Amino acid sequence: MSKGLEIERKFLVELPDLDSLNVRRRIAITQTYLSSGENHSQRRVRRIDENGSVKYTYTEKVFLTDVTREENEYEITEREYRDLLGQTDKRFSPVEKVRYCFDYHDQLFELDTYPFSGELAIMELELRSPEQKIDFPDNVRVIRDVSSDKKYSNAALATAGAFPEQLSGA
C-alpha cells in the first residue's frame, strides 16, 4: 500500500519515436473511475498488464492543488476489482492507455499514449517539490504544461475520445 503526498506535473507532448527513449517498462492500463468517495475524493480501479502479468489496484485521491494530491493506493484481487466495477461512475468512459516509463537525467518520466491519437501523448513526472526544475528529454517536444487543465485529465480524454486540439481541429 502506498499512502502519501503525490506531486506531479503533466505535459502535452508530441508523440516521440519510442525507440529513441530509454524505455524501462511498457504497461497496458485500463482505468475505471468509481463514484466519488468521502470528501469528494476521486476513486478509481486499474487493470495493469505488464508483459502478460496482470495486477489490479484501487486508488483514492484528494486534490489539494493542481499538482499536489493526497493519494492512497493498494493492490486488490481480481474479484475485488470486478466487484468495484459495480460502482463505476457512468459519467466517465474507462481509460485505455499504454504507459512507457523511461529515465532521463535521473528523472523517471511516464509517457501515456492513447488509442485515439498517433500524434499526441501525455508525459508525467512525479516531483519532490512543486518548484522542482524539470530537465526535459531532448527528443520529446513539449507543447505545454497541462497540470492544471482539467480537459487533459484521463477521465476527460477518455470521455471525449480525443485530445482537445483534435476536437477543435487546431
Side-chain angles (χ1 to χ4, degrees):
M1 177 194 299
S2 76
K3 185 172 186 165
L5 202 59
E6 177 186 59
I7 304 169
E8 182 178 78
R9 299 269 304 275
K10 292 173 60 167
F11 302 90
L12 178 66
V13 300
E14 283 184 3
L15 184 62
D17 173 11
L18 297 173
D19 292 333
S20 72
L21 304 175
N22 182 23
V23 175
R24 292 186 1 194
R25 299 172 68 195
R26 180 192 181 280
I27 308 162
I29 299 171
T30 301
Q31 181 168 296
T32 305
Y33 290 94
L34 307 175
S35 55
S36 295
E38 292 180 28
N39 302 320
H40 303 288
S41 62
Q42 181 189 77
R43 299 170 49 230
R44 70 171 190 226
V45 289
R46 280 182 169 173
R47 179 187 187 279
I48 302 166
D49 182 341
E50 187 172 3
N51 301 321
S53 175
V54 177
K55 72 177 188 177
Y56 303 89
T57 62
Y58 171 85
T59 306
E60 194 161 338
K61 293 183 181 192
V62 175
F63 291 80
L64 304 174
T65 71
D66 289 334
V67 298
T68 308
R69 55 198 65 90
E70 286 179 4
E71 180 178 90
N72 182 13
E73 182 173 81
Y74 53 89
E75 199 164 331
I76 59 176
T77 66
E78 181 177 2
R79 181 184 179 125
E80 289 171 314
Y81 171 79
R82 293 198 184 286
D83 288 346
L84 285 165
L85 288 177
Q87 299 175 34
T88 297
D89 187 333
K90 303 290 189 222
R91 295 174 300 158
F92 304 109
S93 298
V95 179
E96 300 281 343
K97 63 185 179 180
V98 176
R99 172 169 287 170
Y100 297 90
C101 303
F102 65 96
D103 291 315
Y104 184 78
H105 292 185
D106 296 321
Q107 304 165 108
L108 177 61
F109 286 95
E110 296 176 338
L111 180 76
D112 288 345
T113 62
Y114 301 86
F116 53 76
S117 180
E119 299 91 37
L120 300 173
I122 296 292
M123 187 170 69
E124 301 178 353
L125 178 65
E126 286 197 28
L127 307 173
R128 292 179 293 283
S129 76
E131 300 79 27
Q132 179 181 326
K133 182 180 177 334
I134 301 171
D135 189 8
F136 291 105
D138 296 331
N139 51 350
V140 177
R141 188 172 102 65
V142 175
I143 298 170
R144 74 177 159 282
D145 185 331
V146 295
S147 302
S148 60
D149 192 335
K150 304 228 181 305
K151 293 186 306 262
Y152 293 90
S153 73
N154 279 300
L157 291 174
T159 300
F163 284 97
E165 289 78 2
Q166 295 167 320
L167 292 172
S168 66

